[in-house]
Amino acid sequence: MTRTHGERKRREILVAAMDVGSAEGLGGLSIGRLAEEIGMSKSGLFAHFGSKEELQLATIGFAAEDYERRVLAPAQDAEPGLARLRALLDAWVTYIDATGNRGGCFFDAASSEFSSRPGPVRERLAQLSRGWLRRLEQEARAAVRMGELAREVDPELLAFKLHAYVEEANWARELFDDRRSFHKARGAIDETLRHATPPPEPPRPQIGDRS
C-alpha cells in the first residue's frame, strides 16, 4: 500500500522520535527537540502532534507496531508451546540486538524512565510490558500442558527469568559496551529451557527381557 506524503512524514518523525527517546529519554522528547533533530519547523510538527504527551504516546504506539511486525507476527508461524516460546525469544533478541536506536531498546529505556512517573505514558508502557510477559507465560503454560516442559515448572516464574535475561543483555551492552551480551542471553535462555524440560522416559522392557 502506497503511503501519502503526510503518512511518510509522520513515519519519519516517529522513527527519529524512537531514536532520540531511547538515548535522551521520552521526558526530553519535546516538539522543539525533535524539530531540531529532523530539520523541521515546530509548526510543521505541531500539525502532526499537538502536545508533548501526544508525541510521546504516538512514539510508544509506533514502537509497539514495529514490535508486533518484527517480533510477534513472525513467531505465530511456530507451533504453540515450546516452539513458539523459543521463536518469540529468538525474534526478540534479534530485534533488540539489531536495533538502530542510539540508546538500545526503546521500551527498556522508556520503562526505566517512567517507572515512577504516574500518568498516561507510564500506563501505556506498563500495559504493553504486561502483555509481553503474559505472552511468554501463555506459551510456557501451553508447553507444560503438552508435556514439553516439566510439570513442576512455574510458567510465570519462567517467563520472568527469560524476560530478565534479555533486559540484562540490553543493559550490559549499553552500559558496558558488551558486544557479547546478547550471545550470553541466548545461552542463558537455552540452558534455562533445557533444564525445564522433563527427563526422558526410561525405555520400556522388551518382551522376553529378564534383566
Side-chain angles (χ1 to χ4, degrees), residues 36-50:
E36 175 189 344
E37 178 74 18
I38 63 176
M40 188 175 179
S41 68
K42 289 184 181 180
S43 59
L45 267 174
F46 265 115
H48 293 275
F49 312 100

Side-chain angles (χ1 to χ4, degrees), residues 16 18-24 33 37 99-105 174:
M18 278 180 60
D19 185 30
V20 173
S22 71
E24 301 176 17
R33 172 66 185 91
E37 178 74 18
T99 184
N101 294 332
R102 282 172 281 181
C105 177
E174 297 308 312

Side-chain angles (χ1 to χ4, degrees), residues 11-101:
R11 176 179 172 79
E12 178 188 342
I13 292 168
L14 291 173
V15 167
M18 278 180 60
D19 185 30
V20 173
S22 71
E24 301 176 17
L26 276 179
L29 189 61
S30 65
I31 298 289
R33 172 66 185 91
L34 196 54
E36 175 189 344
E37 178 74 18
I38 63 176
M40 188 175 179
S41 68
K42 289 184 181 180
S43 59
L45 267 174
F46 265 115
H48 293 275
F49 312 100
S51 68
K52 178 177 177 177
E53 185 174 274
E54 185 179 334
L55 171 61
Q56 291 170 334
L57 290 171
T59 304
I60 294 169
F62 180 77
E65 291 172 6
D66 190 48
Y67 194 84
E68 173 77 33
R69 183 177 65 256
R70 295 172 60 186
V71 177
L72 302 184
Q76 289 304 112
D77 292 334
E79 290 294 321
L82 187 57
R84 188 175 293 171
L85 178 60
R86 285 188 177 277
L88 284 167
L89 291 163
D90 180 63
W92 185 30
V93 172
T94 299
Y95 175 67
I96 301 179
D97 192 15
T99 184
N101 294 332

